[in-house]
Amino acid sequence: MAQKEEAAAAAAPAAPAAPASQNGEGDLDDLENPEKLKELIELPPFEIIKGERLPVNFFKFQFRNVEYSSGRNKTFLCYVVEVQSKGDQVQASRGYLEDEHAAAHAEEAFFNTILPAFDPALRYSVTWYVSSSPCVACADRIVKTLGKTKNLRLLILVGRLFMWEEPEIQAALRKLKEAGCRLRIMKPQDFEYVWQNFVEQEEGESKAFEPWEDIQENFLYYEEKLADILK
């Protein structure tokens, strides 16, 4: 039932950049206030935000693999890019993108800003850790990019499935698989990897990842749904 909540959140106006609503927790309360709603409607679209590490509260709220995803109206995409030359030298880079579903989505922004062009003499291995799976438009962009870029390998790990009961979403996910994209649900170990490599830590201190209570149960739930869709 996550899909219905996410659809409503995606259609809602973007929240103002106030500390209480940056992680999505205050968005729904704002919509109940007529004055706040007017304010939100008049705001311009949010821009794509790029960085190396995302705030702890963003990760804990946006990446949590809940079945009901109310208020999570952003997409967070953490990426690892490895570029291999003919001499087998590998250059690696990493970072994250976030969107507000009001402008370009994070998946499209990745190809527009992080990898806008591909050198045919190089091999690209890209891994995404995304808070939720791609929408139809983003899946289409990924398919087209893979189709014309034979030296690109893409692995997408998602925390949740976006609107997974919708036939057009299911078809889009199958097209991703057919195009050679590897798509799977994030395991608890993957969330820990994101925590260690993409989440802000206190200076001089690295806190251990603390799994939420239903992390394994929700992983198995989404893994079963994805397997049914892709079979």
Side-chain angles (χ1 to χ4, degrees):
M1 285 179 278
Q3 70 286 355
K4 293 181 182 177
E5 295 290 345
E6 286 195 289
S21 63
Q22 281 182 334
N23 65 357
E25 292 175 350
D27 294 349
L28 296 185
D29 291 338
D30 287 342
L31 297 182
E32 308 219 347
N33 183 325
E35 289 302 316
K36 281 288 185 183
L37 182 58
K38 183 174 182 293
E39 243 178 69
L40 296 175
I41 292 172
E42 292 174 352
L43 282 174
F46 277 56
E47 295 180 358
I48 292 293
I49 297 172
K50 296 187 292 183
E52 294 183 2
R53 287 181 177 266
L54 59 149
V56 171
N57 60 325
F58 281 24
F59 169 79
K60 288 183 176 180
F61 183 73
Q62 298 288 351
F63 266 92
R64 187 160 180 157
N65 60 346
V66 292
E67 181 180 351
Y68 301 98
S69 52
S70 177
R72 291 167 174 83
N73 56 352
K74 300 182 181 184
T75 299
F76 280 78
L77 186 157
C78 301
Y79 63 85
V80 178
V81 177
E82 294 181 331
V83 183
Q84 185 174 359
S85 65
K86 287 185 177 179
D88 288 335
Q89 292 183 326
V90 177
Q91 290 186 330
S93 61
R94 69 178 67 213
Y96 86 92
L97 300 165
E98 67 171 277
D99 68 40
E100 285 279 351
H101 289 307
H105 290 185
E107 297 92 335
E108 184 177 0
F110 176 87
F111 292 118
N112 292 341
T113 61
I114 307 302
L115 276 181
F118 296 87
D119 185 336
L122 303 175
R123 286 183 290 176
Y124 298 84
S125 178
V126 177
T127 302
W128 289 354
Y129 300 86
V130 195
S131 53
S132 62
S133 57
C135 67
V136 173
C138 288
D140 185 59
R141 173 65 188 273
I142 295 167
V143 168
K144 288 179 179 177
T145 300
L146 288 171
K148 64 183 180 182
T149 315
K150 301 303 181 184
N151 54 333
L152 169 64
R153 296 292 176 267
L154 177 62
L155 167 63
I156 303 177
L157 301 96
V158 302
R160 304 183 303 276
L161 291 177
F162 173 68
M163 298 178 65
W164 61 266
E165 285 189 343
E166 299 296 329
E168 60 269 26
I169 290 289
Q170 295 182 5
L173 295 179
R174 285 192 287 269
K175 286 180 181 179
L176 284 174
K177 180 183 177 182
E178 292 166 4
C181 174
R182 292 177 293 157
L183 181 67
R184 69 176 178 83
I185 304 299
M186 288 176 65
K187 301 176 181 179
Q189 301 95 307
D190 298 316
F191 289 104
E192 182 175 13
Y193 177 84
V194 172
W195 171 264
Q196 292 173 344
N197 293 277
F198 295 99
V199 177
E200 292 177 352
Q201 304 289 337
E202 294 292 336
E203 190 173 348
E205 180 183 352
S206 181
K207 291 185 178 180
F209 172 65
E210 297 180 1
W212 42 93
E213 182 180 357
D214 50 1
I215 187 172
Q216 177 68 14
E217 178 185 347
N218 290 347
F219 156 66
L220 294 173
Y221 171 83
Y222 279 121
E223 184 182 49
E224 181 182 359
K225 301 303 179 188
L226 182 60
D228 288 341
I229 292 170
L230 297 182
K231 67 182 179 182

